[in-house]
């Protein structure tokens, strides 16, 4: 639905990998993208369908998927409440050897952690390369998709989204 908007980069571009992280399962792709971030805009990258960093989606589509983890959306329910609860059990917590921050994960989703508290303790989702985010909060019946074409100068969620989280939590709590 529509054209893919090219990613722009914060000036001055200051992407760095935390240094030395060993042993890391990286295969060199992340290192190559940091050296030449314009690769994110290449046709080859967009067509590759790379797990974890190759998703191209609208904010609306991301929110739609996350909403379907909370309940029925247009006849689609992705997971049951019981499966979601098991998926959100803490599986790892502590320093992330690739990103260099303390994080928490369930069976796939990121769970609230100090730098990214989502909108509450039951929320889950994932921040994407370039600052985009998808998350859901079952306590607030809230599903959020956030995309941006401005790649932040630091890893993780866009500073814009981080600034919106308290307001999103308040708005959802009122409805």
């Amino acid at each position: 639905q529509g054209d893919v908007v090219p990613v722009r980069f914060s000036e001055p571009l200051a992407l760095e990998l935390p240094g030395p992280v060993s042993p890391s399962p990286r295969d060199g792709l992340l290192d190559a993208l940091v050296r030449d971030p314009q690769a994110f805009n290449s046709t080859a990258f967009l067509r590759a369908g790379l797990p974890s960093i190759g998703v191209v989606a609208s904010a609306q589509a991301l929110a739609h998927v996350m909403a379907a983890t909370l309940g029925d959306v247009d006849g689609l329910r992705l997971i049951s409440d019981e499966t979601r609860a098991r998926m959100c059990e803490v599986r790892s917590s502590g320093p992330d050897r690739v990103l260099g921050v303390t994080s928490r994960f369930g069976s796939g989703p990121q769970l609230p952690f100090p730098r990214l508290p989502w909108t509450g303790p039951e929320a889950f989702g994932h921040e994407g390369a370039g600052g985009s985010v998808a998350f859901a909060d079952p306590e607030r019946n809230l599903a959020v998709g956030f995309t941006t074409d401005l790649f932040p100068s630091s890893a993780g969620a866009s500073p814009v989204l981080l600034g919106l989280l308290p307001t999103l939590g308040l708005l959802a709590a009122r409805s």
Side-chain angles (χ1 to χ4, degrees), residues 64-139:
H64 192 90
V65 167
M66 295 309 293
T69 68
L70 301 178
D72 187 280
V73 178
D74 299 331
L76 175 68
R77 172 92 192 239
L78 292 178
I79 56 176
S80 68
D81 291 340
E82 295 78 23
T83 298
R84 186 182 65 240
R86 285 193 314 272
M87 180 181 80
C88 290
E89 291 172 0
V90 177
R91 301 295 175 133
S92 71
S93 181
D96 183 310
R97 295 186 313 185
V98 174
L99 297 177
V101 298
T102 297
S103 63
R104 294 172 65 234
F105 280 87
S107 298
Q110 281 180 316
L111 304 175
F113 61 100
R115 187 180 55 77
L116 188 54
W118 301 124
T119 51
E122 301 301 315
F124 62 96
H126 210 287
E127 55 190 343
S132 297
V133 166
F135 76 95
D137 186 336
E139 267 186 80

Side-chain angles (χ1 to χ4, degrees), residues 2 4 15-17 19 21 23 25 30 47 56 63 67 82 97 113 129 134 142 145 147 161 163 167-168:
V4 174
L15 293 175
E16 283 184 29
L17 294 176
V21 289
L30 184 58
R47 288 186 178 160
V56 177
E82 295 78 23
R97 295 186 313 185
F113 61 100
L142 174 70
T147 59
L161 174 86
T167 302
L168 287 170

Side-chain angles (χ1 to χ4, degrees), residues 25-40:
R26 287 199 311 252
D27 63 3
L29 176 62
L30 184 58
D31 296 316
L33 288 170
V34 169
R35 281 193 303 278
D36 180 15
Q38 286 300 330
F40 278 104

Side-chain angles (χ1 to χ4, degrees), residues 115-118 146 157-170:
R115 187 180 55 77
L116 188 54
W118 301 124
F146 176 89
S158 167
V160 173
L161 174 86
L162 294 174
L164 291 172
L165 287 175
T167 302
L168 287 170
L170 287 173

